[in-house]
Amino acid sequence: MKQIITIALFLVATIATAQDQYTTGMQKAFQFWGEGKTTEASNLFERISTAEKDNWLPAYYGAQVNTVASFGEKDKEKLVKQLEKAQEFVDIAKAISPNNPEILVQQAMIHTAYVAFDGATYGMTLSGEVVTLYQKALAISPNNPRVVFSKAEWDMGSAKYFGQDTTPYCKEIERSIELFTNFKPESEFHPNWGKDRAEATAKNCGK
């Protein structure tokens, strides 16, 4: 009995240590990201992802770090390198958690970054995929605030591009804000971003 208790305590201690390392690593990666150290954040998320083989979150954030850094990037070589790295991360996350609406949104964001960089080159091939990804994510999780907002934001961008009225999408932006207000992430590291962007978008919606 004593041996069983000792083994049990050892296992609990081992799990607690692993969790502490995971928490510390994730917090450090987010700190790097907040300081604008994209490469350091990406590399740390990658190391955590390698260690956490059943956890999609480190790979998800590795993808997000590289994708966000690509918006506004003028150097095509750097942009493609970042987005290819983001795609590698997304592929890892998808393998761990298939049909995950958060990951579907992240995949759509990668495509959007390409389209934003060069609509003439990438718009024809990727726009349809973005629409499909958002439709799939919405079907899986119709009340996920990031899904609702990101889809509405994409639809608004498309409407602007074709000179159409963007007002019809304002209601969805407002709905996403309500969803953000009531949304509770599963853990401190689960996706919880988007409300600030939604509120900023709502202020200028339809103008």
Side-chain angles (χ1 to χ4, degrees):
M1 178 64 75
K2 184 177 180 181
Q3 185 179 10
I4 293 172
I5 293 172
T6 302
I7 292 171
L9 289 173
F10 173 75
L11 289 173
V12 170
T14 301
I15 292 169
T17 300
Q19 288 176 334
D20 287 344
Q21 289 175 341
Y22 168 70
T23 299
T24 301
M26 290 291 281
Q27 289 172 342
K28 186 65 177 178
F30 280 116
Q31 181 183 330
F32 280 143
W33 194 7
E35 293 170 352
K37 298 176 181 178
T38 303
T39 301
E40 290 87 343
S42 176
N43 290 341
L44 185 48
F45 280 128
E46 185 169 20
R47 289 200 296 274
I48 298 169
S49 178
T50 301
E52 297 279 328
K53 296 187 183 301
D54 296 324
N55 187 344
W56 60 272
L57 290 168
Y60 167 86
Y61 285 112
Q64 195 173 59
V65 164
N66 285 280
T67 305
V68 171
S70 299
F71 283 99
E73 177 60 58
K74 304 299 183 184
D75 185 327
K76 184 175 181 179
E77 184 177 344
K78 185 177 181 180
L79 174 125
V80 170
K81 184 178 180 180
Q82 287 175 331
L83 293 180
E84 286 179 345
K85 189 64 181 178
Q87 187 63 56
E88 289 177 15
F89 277 121
V90 160
D91 290 341
I92 293 169
K94 283 193 293 187
I96 297 169
S97 182
N99 298 318
N100 184 322
E102 300 285 3
I103 299 172
L104 291 171
V105 168
Q106 177 54 51
Q107 179 68 78
M109 287 177 62
I110 293 173
H111 292 337
T112 301
Y114 277 113
V115 174
F117 176 75
D118 187 348
T121 300
Y122 298 108
M124 289 292 289
T125 56
L126 296 178
S127 292
E129 290 187 35
V130 172
V131 172
T132 299
L133 285 163
Y134 283 136
Q135 288 174 339
K136 184 177 181 180
L138 197 64
I140 296 169
S141 187
N143 293 318
N144 181 303
R146 272 162 302 286
V147 172
V148 174
F149 169 65
S150 298
K151 182 180 184 301
E153 188 179 42
W154 169 265
D155 291 339
M156 286 180 68
S158 297
K160 284 182 181 178
Y161 182 80
F162 290 108
Q164 299 169 349
D165 183 16
T166 61
T167 305
Y169 307 108
C170 294
K171 287 185 178 180
E172 283 297 279
I173 298 293
E174 293 292 345
R175 185 167 82 89
S176 76
I177 294 173
E178 291 180 15
L179 293 172
F180 276 119
T181 301
N182 298 314
F183 181 81
K184 293 182 180 179
E186 293 180 38
S187 75
E188 65 175 306
F189 297 125
H190 274 72
N192 195 28
W193 57 269
K195 186 178 181 182
D196 291 346
R197 277 178 54 196
E199 289 174 337
T201 304
K203 287 181 181 179
N204 298 311
C205 205
K207 295 181 181 179

